[in-house]
Amino acid sequence: MSDQPRNESTPTPGELREQIAHTRDELGQTVEALAGKADVKAQAKEKTAAVKQDAAEKAELVTGQIREKAGQAAQLVRDKTPDPLLEKASQAAAQVRETTARAGQLAAEKTPDPVLERAGQAASAARANRTPLLVAGAAVAVFLLILRNRGRK
């Protein structure tokens, strides 16, 4: 070592190296933080992901609440509806199903075979070309709505 007396405030070379390493580490962390703040695209993605997550959680919560309320309302209706009325409604529904089935069977029996064959072909063609038929139907509906609205003016 040197012959000069050492001043307490003067750091040793080891202490200086340690301070430099510490300063470099802090500087690196500061640069990373600044780079993160400057990366707007990454921040936007993070914010979007957070908003999506929040929305999904809220939607799940609301859906659960709606299902619970609907269940309570259905139970309330069942509780408040007199048994004879429920029984009559059940009988009426069964009667409607039975009558509909009979009407369909009767129509199938009374319809000539060539008409049934043509109807089957038309149904197959419609199933094969759903998209164009839906587009055409939507166009007709829009056209009719426009005509209806013009007639009111």
Side-chain angles (χ1 to χ4, degrees):
M1 298 235 181
S2 68
D3 294 331
Q4 296 177 354
R6 188 171 165 320
N7 187 349
E8 293 281 333
S9 64
T10 307
T12 65
E15 291 173 336
L16 286 173
R17 283 188 206 99
E18 191 177 308
Q19 286 178 356
I20 290 170
H22 181 70
T23 303
R24 281 184 183 156
D25 187 45
E26 286 182 347
L27 183 60
Q29 291 175 3
T30 303
V31 168
E32 282 183 30
L34 288 173
K37 288 182 179 181
D39 191 357
V40 176
K41 188 174 181 180
Q43 287 179 357
K45 283 183 180 179
E46 288 176 12
K47 183 70 174 174
T48 300
V51 168
K52 281 183 181 179
Q53 180 67 28
D54 288 347
E57 289 172 0
K58 287 178 183 175
E60 189 175 323
L61 177 67
V62 169
T63 301
Q65 290 173 344
I66 289 172
R67 283 190 179 135
E68 184 179 334
K69 297 270 186 203
Q72 290 172 351
Q75 185 61 44
L76 184 63
V77 168
R78 282 192 293 272
D79 292 346
K80 297 289 181 178
T81 304
D83 288 339
L85 184 60
L86 287 175
E87 197 173 304
K88 283 184 180 182
S90 176
Q91 290 173 355
Q95 237 177 357
V96 166
R97 282 192 296 274
E98 187 179 313
T99 304
T100 304
R102 271 190 274 142
Q105 187 177 16
L106 184 62
E109 290 173 0
K110 298 288 183 181
T111 305
D113 287 339
V115 173
L116 286 176
E117 201 172 297
R118 285 283 221 175
Q121 290 172 350
S124 296
R127 276 189 227 103
N129 299 305
R130 280 188 180 151
T131 303
L133 285 173
L134 290 173
V135 170
V140 168
V142 168
F143 178 72
L144 291 174
L145 287 172
I146 291 171
L147 286 177
R148 182 176 155 204
N149 285 338
R150 284 187 181 167
R152 287 186 180 179
K153 290 181 180 179

